[in-house]
């Protein structure tokens, strides 16, 4: 692992979250969630290396590396990266600790990618714009930048309501809160442990597809494809998320 200068902390993904992150997001680690993403990313990378922004515990980086695509990751959380390094094959993924919106690493990449709503971890528009510029700076001519992110669910908000639940069970409740004036949102998780409720939340900034396209244009990228998911289902007005691909012009 490559460490910058030691000035970064783990942000909202410290040891208390990293310790059971894979278990709490178990559905996203299932083959039916991972394999289509890896298939498409490997195809887009072709014969070139890939850079993952927000590499986390290696959910995508490890199987993509196993497919023969060299992967370098950037992540602010040492605790999350420690989990990656402890997994089989973890030593094959080089990681730089830093803010993925602005951190630069050596080399050119055929593919830069962000998955599982990670672009929303950047909580200002300026940071999201910087992220696109950082991605473009790492891409070789003809390279692609891929983002997987949800479509804001504002249509589910009646007047005066700010919260949208997305998981309800006997032991776990989860919901998002939105501020439509600032595009700020937070995901809240309430877990029942031994009869007591534990709560934690993470701040995000939601972003629209058209807004991402403008960020890409500012960075010198152009939209190549947009699908509803990793299997290339068409993106429509009813899609809950999108997988978008922008390209750096070959000239």
């Amino acid at each position: 692992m490559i460490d910058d200068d030691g000035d970064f902390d783990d942000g909202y993904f410290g040891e208390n979250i990293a310790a059971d992150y894979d278990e709490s997001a178990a559905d996203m680690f299932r083959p039916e969630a991972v394999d289509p993403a890896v298939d498409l990313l490997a195809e887009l990378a072709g014969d070139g290396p890939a850079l993952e922004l927000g590499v986390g515990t290696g959910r995508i980086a490890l199987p993509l590396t196993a497919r023969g695509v060299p992967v370098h990751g950037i992540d602010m959380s040492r605790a999350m990266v420690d989990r990656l390094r402890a997994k089989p094959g973890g030593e094959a993924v080089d990681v730089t600790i830093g803010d993925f919106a602005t951190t630069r690493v050596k080399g050119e990449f055929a593919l830069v990618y962000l998955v599982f709503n990670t672009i929303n971890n950047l909580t200002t528009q300026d940071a999201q714009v910087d992220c696109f510029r950082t991605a473009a700076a790492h891409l070789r001519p003809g390279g692609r930048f891929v983002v997987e992110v949800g479509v804001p669910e504002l249509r589910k908000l009646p007047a005066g309501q700010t919260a949208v639940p997305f998981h309800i069970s006997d032991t776990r409740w989860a919901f998002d809160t939105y501020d439509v004036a600032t595009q700020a949102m937070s995901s809240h998780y309430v877990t029942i442990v031994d009869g007591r409720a534990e709560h934690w939340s993470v701040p995000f900034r939601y972003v629209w597809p058209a807004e991402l396209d403008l960020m890409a244009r500012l960075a010198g990228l152009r939209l190549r494809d947009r699908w509803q998911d990793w299997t290339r289902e068409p993106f429509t007005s009813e899609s809950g998320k999108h997988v978008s691909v922008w390209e750096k012009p070959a000239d």
Side-chain angles (χ1 to χ4, degrees):
M1 181 178 69
I2 305 169
D3 198 326
D4 279 344
D5 55 13
D7 290 337
F8 295 97
D9 61 29
D10 285 352
Y12 289 90
F13 294 89
E15 181 61 32
N16 60 323
I17 301 303
D20 62 355
Y21 178 82
D22 290 10
E23 291 74 19
S24 66
D27 287 348
M28 295 302 297
F29 284 80
R30 297 182 188 278
E32 55 266 33
V34 172
D35 292 349
V38 172
D39 288 344
L40 180 55
L41 292 172
E43 177 185 327
L44 293 175
D47 61 354
L51 175 66
E52 180 169 358
L53 306 181
V55 69
T57 65
R59 181 180 70 95
I60 299 299
L62 290 172
L64 188 58
T65 300
R67 289 281 295 273
V69 178
V71 178
H72 191 113
I74 299 175
D75 205 290
M76 184 177 288
S77 172
R78 293 179 176 84
M80 297 284 276
V81 172
D82 285 346
R83 295 321 190 272
L84 182 160
R85 302 295 287 170
K87 294 178 179 179
E91 71 285 348
V93 181
D94 289 329
V95 179
T96 297
I97 299 296
D99 179 352
F100 65 75
T102 55
T103 298
R104 302 289 178 89
V105 300
K106 293 181 179 179
E108 285 189 327
F109 296 85
L111 176 71
V112 179
Y113 64 94
L114 275 163
V115 298
F116 198 18
N117 299 320
T118 303
I119 186 72
N120 291 345
N121 285 103
L122 302 174
T123 57
T124 68
Q125 187 181 69
D126 284 345
Q128 291 171 345
V129 169
D130 286 343
C131 180
F132 271 79
R133 288 174 172 154
T134 294
H138 283 107
L139 286 172
R140 69 190 187 187
R144 282 77 174 269
F145 180 38
V146 178
V147 173
E148 176 196 25
V149 65
V151 177
E153 296 191 300
L154 301 190
R155 288 191 297 178
K156 294 182 179 180
L157 287 176
Q161 181 174 315
T162 61
V164 175
F166 61 87
H167 180 88
I168 299 175
S169 68
D170 292 341
T171 59
R172 186 169 180 262
W173 311 326
F175 59 94
D176 290 328
T177 56
Y178 294 88
D179 183 336
V180 297
T182 64
Q183 292 183 219
M185 63 176 289
S186 293
S187 290
H188 302 263
Y189 303 88
V190 179
T191 304
I192 307 301
V193 179
D194 297 327
R196 298 184 61 183
E198 297 181 356
H199 169 261
W200 70 282
S201 64
V202 183
F204 299 107
R205 180 185 187 271
Y206 68 81
V207 62
W208 299 100
E211 189 180 6
L212 292 171
D213 289 342
L214 182 56
M215 293 178 186
R217 290 181 63 185
L218 292 173
L221 306 176
R222 58 192 179 197
L223 181 67
R224 179 183 175 90
D225 291 295
R226 172 165 291 132
W227 302 294
Q228 176 174 284
D229 53 31
W230 295 105
T231 62
R232 294 184 171 96
E233 287 297 313
F235 178 74
T236 73
S237 60
E238 300 302 316
S239 299
K241 73 171 187 178
H242 60 98
V243 175
S244 295
V245 183
W246 296 274
E247 185 175 59
K248 186 172 185 175
D251 55 0

